[in-house]
Amino acid sequence: TLVLGCLEQESTSLRLWSEVASDLGCDITASSIDERLTGRVVMLLYTILQWSIQQKLEVSSLPVKKLEQFCRVILYDATLLTLPPILKQVFQGGRDKTMGQMKLQVGYDYLNAQLQSVNIHEGIEPDQKDKGLLEQAVEGSLLIFDLGYFDQKVLADIQARKAFFVTRYQSQTGLYDVQTEKPINLVEALNNVEGNWFETHCKLGHNAKLRVRLVARRVARQEAEKRRRQVRQRAKSSGYTASQRS
């Protein structure tokens, strides 16, 4: 009843579950379903979810020549689910302390069309603390993720496992010349670019000194102004002033 009810509609309810149960030949009221939603049922559904992730679909890999060098292409990201206030002590949210929030960390193998992992955290927990990303870094895999997971040690660990990554550059992280290890002034380098593309090999991070390839693409003036506004708005909402370097 619960599984088929959730599949039937994006937003489900006790009433809908009662109707699904009736369609399956089991007459039960919404309140009776509510009484049966115990901790044991939660663990049962969680176990079913984890078991289902382990089942591999028999599908062919994405026919893209450039991706043949990788065994997996993992898209890794998080999504926030708002929970009823009664759960706010179990799953703490962000700024809204009156509601609970659950954060789902999801790893999806885009190359082989396989769901690889689903990890559950409190909504207040930062993405960098999630261990699921590094678990996907098997030899020959490519991991794609956003700035929320940017951490020099994690990037170094991915590379040490002979895996690859693509992520955005964190603007406050140091860049260094591959040969001399002297600091690179990225803003100055980008200002001297005549075309729309810039690419260089460098070392990333004062501590990690991780060998990376950095790629930049020029955007239209209107898009650039939009992004600057977004940077200032994020800084203001977090209580600091965005640097000129950003």
Side-chain angles (χ1 to χ4, degrees), residues 147-201:
L147 270 177
Y149 305 92
F150 192 97
D151 182 287
Q152 293 181 40
K153 186 179 184 307
V154 171
L155 300 182
D157 286 344
I158 291 173
Q159 201 169 87
R161 297 183 183 199
K162 297 182 179 180
F164 304 86
F165 62 82
V166 174
T167 188
R168 286 176 57 202
Y169 167 62
Q170 208 285 334
S171 63
Q172 303 306 307
T173 307
L175 296 174
Y176 302 88
D177 185 271
V178 172
Q179 301 298 329
T180 65
E181 294 196 353
K182 290 183 177 180
I184 295 174
N185 186 327
L186 182 60
V187 174
E188 183 179 294
L190 293 175
N191 283 332
N192 291 328
V193 174
E194 294 184 359
N196 291 324
W197 289 91
F198 171 81
E199 181 176 329
T200 187
H201 288 266

Side-chain angles (χ1 to χ4, degrees), residues 1-237:
T1 295
L2 297 183
V3 172
L4 294 180
C6 289
L7 287 173
E8 187 166 310
Q9 289 188 20
E10 182 178 339
S11 179
T12 190
S13 66
L14 291 170
R15 181 188 58 79
L16 175 64
W17 278 333
S18 178
E19 292 174 356
V20 171
S22 179
D23 292 340
L24 295 172
C26 176
D27 291 325
I28 184 171
T29 64
S31 59
S32 293
I33 291 177
D34 189 36
E35 291 175 3
R36 286 164 171 78
L37 296 179
T38 62
R40 291 182 65 188
V41 171
V42 172
M43 290 309 300
L44 171 65
L45 293 175
Y46 180 75
T47 303
I48 291 173
L49 173 62
Q50 295 300 327
W51 177 83
S52 66
I53 291 173
Q54 295 170 14
Q55 308 309 303
K56 301 304 180 185
L57 302 176
E58 293 185 4
V59 295
S60 57
S61 297
L62 199 67
V64 179
K65 196 73 176 174
K66 287 284 188 181
L67 299 180
E68 286 182 354
Q69 59 187 305
F70 306 111
C71 64
R72 298 177 183 173
V73 176
I74 302 294
L75 307 181
Y76 203 88
D77 204 0
T79 186
L80 274 177
L81 301 179
T82 300
L83 305 175
I86 194 173
L87 292 173
K88 66 181 180 181
Q89 299 303 323
V90 182
F91 292 98
Q92 293 187 50
R95 295 173 189 165
D96 188 354
K97 304 300 182 182
T98 64
M99 304 294 290
Q101 281 188 322
M102 175 190 290
K103 180 176 286 189
L104 295 181
Q105 300 281 359
V106 180
Y108 179 71
D109 182 357
Y110 182 71
L111 182 63
N112 300 301
Q114 304 284 351
L115 184 61
Q116 290 293 122
S117 66
V118 177
N119 296 315
I120 299 171
H121 302 278
E122 291 184 275
I124 199 171
E125 184 166 310
D127 292 339
Q128 286 181 337
K129 287 192 174 183
D130 175 63
K131 305 300 182 184
L133 174 65
L134 198 54
E135 291 174 358
Q136 302 303 317
V138 301
E139 184 175 349
S141 61
L142 170 64
L143 279 58
I144 303 175
F145 48 91
D146 63 24
L147 270 177
Y149 305 92
F150 192 97
D151 182 287
Q152 293 181 40
K153 186 179 184 307
V154 171
L155 300 182
D157 286 344
I158 291 173
Q159 201 169 87
R161 297 183 183 199
K162 297 182 179 180
F164 304 86
F165 62 82
V166 174
T167 188
R168 286 176 57 202
Y169 167 62
Q170 208 285 334
S171 63
Q172 303 306 307
T173 307
L175 296 174
Y176 302 88
D177 185 271
V178 172
Q179 301 298 329
T180 65
E181 294 196 353
K182 290 183 177 180
I184 295 174
N185 186 327
L186 182 60
V187 174
E188 183 179 294
L190 293 175
N191 283 332
N192 291 328
V193 174
E194 294 184 359
N196 291 324
W197 289 91
F198 171 81
E199 181 176 329
T200 187
H201 288 266
C202 58
K203 290 186 177 182
L204 174 76
H206 177 73
N207 296 320
K209 292 290 184 358
L210 190 67
R211 180 75 178 262
V212 298
R213 183 163 63 99
L214 186 135
V215 181
R217 179 176 67 89
R218 191 185 305 277
V219 297
R221 186 181 301 274
Q222 186 177 1
E223 177 65 21
E225 290 300 331
K226 175 184 173 182
R227 294 187 186 186
R228 290 190 183 98
R229 286 195 300 271
Q230 291 173 341
V231 169
R232 286 193 288 265
Q233 288 169 358
R234 282 196 298 269
K236 185 177 180 180
S237 64

